[in-house]
Amino acid sequence: MAKKKYLCRVCNSELENIFDFGNMPIANNLISLKEQENNKDEYKYDMKIGVCLNCSSLQIVNVPKKELMFNNKYAYFASQSQHMKIHFGKLAKDLMSKMKKEEDYILEIGSNDGIFLKSFSENGFKHLGVDASENVVQAAQANGIKSICRFFDDKTADELLKSHGKAKIIVITNTMHHIENCQSVAKGVEKILRDDGTLIIEDPYLLDMYKIGSIEQVYAEHNFIWSLHSYKTLFEKFSINLYDVEHFETHGGSMRYFFSKQNIDPTNKMKKYIDLEINKKIFDINTFLNFRDNCNKICTELFEFILNKKNEGKSIAGYGATAKSATTLNFSKINNKMVDCIYDSTPFKIGKYTPGTHIEIRDANLFSNDNPDFTILFAWNHRSEIMKKEKEKNSKTTWVEYIPKLKLTDAN
Ligand code: TYD
Ligand code: ZN
């Protein structure tokens, strides 16, 4: 039978299939104790990654229905990280200094628990958050942040235009890569953004992912990994132009993109990254294949390390029940016989089990008491914050990092 062809959701070119993961669970679908006891079958999807050599977008080719991923059981609460609070607090302060309180309104798409809009609400700025997951919206509302539970698309944009008018600023952080129908979002943004307005997007950056080999950042909820070239291709169709970028170390390397409907000259920084993407050969299939081989190596090394230590009778835990670790754990077939438990500070996650691999999630407060021999740092993107915190608590363990390669560090 002929292989099914998939088309790029950004530019319609045919995708190259680079990675087949097989059956994977939804990364944020944690299993409750009851479901675990009943051995209930979990929803699984056939996870395949394609790359577009025309616009340099990396994407999952057959994304599960969005309601299966974003619902009242969404496990990610952005405010769990102090570092992320500071990171978005700085952006909020900068934007507030440029906004006129009475006239300007800021819309955030994917507002989660209100981590970013909080200071707009506290300082009396007109704001609105839209998020598809009811539980995080409720958390934001409880903190006085105006938020509604909705998938943002072209239709929602029509409603919001009627109820709130046009926005001076639209912010979409760590969300655009969640959305399968990126065309509908871009169309919605085109309707709502003022002619003198700014669109700001931020999410994990393709070149960083290649550099560190973090294929685990791709899963159903993260169904795109974007680059300057792929964002330019998408938004130019809607007469929204990229003119500046800013790079951050967050989430293993993220890019912040600034767009406008006006024709602002691209900054030198943006030109530098455009050239860098070309020099790093993001339109060459070999770049993607090298990345795939590197990721396979990382998964194999981690699996073998755990297996060897387990056979030596050591206790092995994880730290950070991250969504991305679901990719590595399920793909590498690391299960609850190999990793005893994973520590996490998110109340919603504690007492539940990881999807597919059914590893127990324990309260991070117990970590300094349990002191496992080895702890795999699944929340590697919060490395400094977590290691510092546990050092202060005098926790004893050997940290195991696996991205970009296996590295052991004594906790003290
Ligand atoms: P996150 O970085 O959001 O990754 P993903 O998007 O892959 O889920 O997840 C970090 C996880 O680590 C989250 O579940 C909260 C947890 N965590 C702690 O338990 N303690 C900490 O100090 C920090 C910063 C995070
Ligand atoms: Zn494309």
Side-chain angles (χ1 to χ4, degrees):
M1 205 170 74
K3 250 185 142 182
K4 188 167 177 194
K5 287 182 180 163
Y6 293 96
L7 298 185
C8 172
R9 299 197 296 276
V10 180
C11 75
N12 245 7
S13 307
E14 198 174 308
L15 292 172
E16 301 280 340
N17 180 215
I18 58 155
F19 226 123
D20 279 342
F21 286 82
N23 272 345
M24 300 287 276
I26 302 271
N28 272 303
N29 256 4
L30 302 177
I31 308 295
S32 68
L33 177 62
K34 207 165 151 212
E35 286 164 332
Q36 163 78 356
E37 282 169 353
N38 293 342
N39 214 1
K40 196 175 156 243
D41 267 353
E42 291 169 74
Y43 173 85
K44 299 255 172 82
Y45 66 101
D46 183 19
M47 182 167 146
K48 285 187 170 55
I49 296 180
V51 287
C52 175
L53 299 179
N54 181 51
C55 76
S56 89
S57 148
L58 184 143
Q59 48 198 274
I60 290 202
V61 295
N62 41 0
V63 182
K65 276 204 185 90
K66 56 189 187 307
E67 291 79 6
L68 288 167
M69 304 185 276
F70 306 105
N71 46 47
N72 64 357
K73 290 199 320 193
Y74 190 58
Y76 179 59
F77 287 70
S79 298
Q80 284 302 308
S81 163
Q82 287 308 320
H83 179 76
M84 292 313 288
K85 276 190 190 169
I86 296 167
H87 177 74
F88 287 124
K90 277 188 197 152
L91 175 63
K93 201 169 162 205
D94 179 44
L95 294 178
M96 281 190 291
S97 73
K98 293 174 185 151
M99 282 172 70
K100 293 192 194 104
K101 255 188 203 178
E102 289 72 32
E103 293 168 33
D104 298 339
Y105 135 69
I106 180 163
L107 170 71
E108 186 183 17
I109 301 167
S111 43
N112 197 269
D113 59 7
I115 182 171
F116 168 68
L117 285 180
K118 192 165 186 280
S119 32
F120 291 88
S121 156
E122 285 167 356
N123 289 288
F125 281 85
K126 262 163 88 178
H127 65 277
L128 181 71
V130 184
D131 198 290
S133 300
E134 204 176 323
N135 55 344
V136 293
V137 169
Q138 281 164 356
Q141 287 168 340
N143 281 321
I145 297 146
K146 291 197 179 76
S147 327
I148 56 166
C149 182
R150 203 74 56 88
F151 285 99
F152 182 87
D153 56 16
D154 179 28
K155 273 204 199 118
T156 308
D158 288 333
E159 285 173 39
L160 294 183
L161 197 58
K162 273 195 206 130
S163 58
H164 287 74
K166 290 201 167 194
K168 165 81 176 163
I169 297 172
I170 300 181
V171 171
I172 317 178
T173 66
N174 292 321
T175 297
M176 198 65 196
H177 62 321
H178 292 191
I179 302 176
E180 183 181 7
N181 193 346
C182 57
Q183 307 283 342
S184 180
V185 173
K187 201 169 175 193
V189 166
E190 185 194 17
K191 286 179 180 169
I192 293 187
L193 189 66
R194 263 170 40 185
D195 287 346
D196 64 343
T198 309
L199 163 68
I200 301 171
I201 296 182
E202 179 176 323
D203 43 37
Y205 182 46
L206 188 76
L207 280 187
D208 287 309
M209 197 178 77
Y210 286 168
K211 193 162 116 196
I212 62 175
S214 53
I215 190 72
E216 65 167 27
Q217 281 179 285
V218 185
Y219 45 91
E221 296 94 311
H222 287 188
N223 55 61
F224 272 112
I225 301 291
W226 291 92
S227 62
L228 271 72
H229 279 90
S230 52
Y231 267 137
K232 259 171 76 55
T233 309
L234 173 66
F235 280 100
E236 277 173 6
K237 284 190 203 166
F238 298 91
S239 305
I240 298 172
N241 307 308
L242 180 67
Y243 66 91
D244 197 10
V245 290
E246 200 174 349
H247 184 261
F248 295 93
E249 294 304 320
T250 49
H251 295 305
S254 298
M255 194 61 84
R256 183 176 289 169
Y257 304 83
F258 297 85
F259 301 81
S260 167
K261 286 184 171 173
Q262 291 164 344
N263 268 323
I264 301 175
D265 282 341
T267 60
N268 286 337
K269 206 192 287 172
M270 169 173 154
K271 287 185 203 154
K272 191 189 99 184
Y273 276 103
I274 288 278
D275 289 345
L276 185 69
E277 290 186 355
I278 294 164
N279 291 338
K280 293 281 179 190
K281 299 193 166 62
I282 56 168
F283 302 105
D284 182 344
I285 188 71
N286 289 314
T287 310
F288 296 94
L289 297 177
N290 291 340
F291 165 67
R292 178 184 68 183
D293 294 347
N294 187 27
C295 295
N296 271 325
K297 192 165 151 254
I298 288 173
C299 287
T300 308
E301 270 179 6
L302 181 65
F303 178 87
E304 285 175 357
F305 175 85
I306 298 175
L307 198 65
N308 288 338
K309 291 299 166 197
K310 205 70 203 167
N311 286 338
E312 287 171 19
K314 305 289 187 200
S315 54
I316 299 176
Y319 204 113
T322 58
K324 55 189 163 288
S325 65
T327 308
T328 295
L329 290 169
N330 284 284
F331 178 62
S332 313
K333 310 236 174 325
I334 299 171
N335 58 23
N336 55 12
K337 294 191 178 62
M338 296 172 74
V339 174
D340 307 329
C341 65
I342 300 182
Y343 294 89
D344 200 290
S345 61
T346 317
F348 183 81
K349 296 187 181 182
I350 296 166
K352 296 198 172 77
Y353 294 80
T354 56
T357 47
H358 298 196
I359 302 168
E360 183 198 344
I361 303 171
R362 298 198 83 192
D363 188 342
N365 283 321
L366 301 173
F367 185 72
S368 55
N369 180 54
D370 295 357
N371 291 322
D373 295 324
F374 291 94
T375 307
I376 304 154
L377 190 59
F378 290 119
W380 47 264
N381 46 323
H382 302 286
R383 177 182 197 277
S384 318
E385 186 171 341
I386 290 172
M387 286 189 176
K388 185 167 170 274
K389 187 185 333 186
E390 292 303 338
K391 191 169 184 173
E392 281 164 9
K393 290 188 185 170
N394 207 20
S395 301
K396 291 184 181 48
T397 191
T398 299
W399 292 110
V400 182
E401 291 170 81
Y402 56 103
I403 285 178
K405 58 180 188 226
L406 211 65
K407 182 180 162 199
L408 306 185
T409 315
D410 255 352
N412 278 288

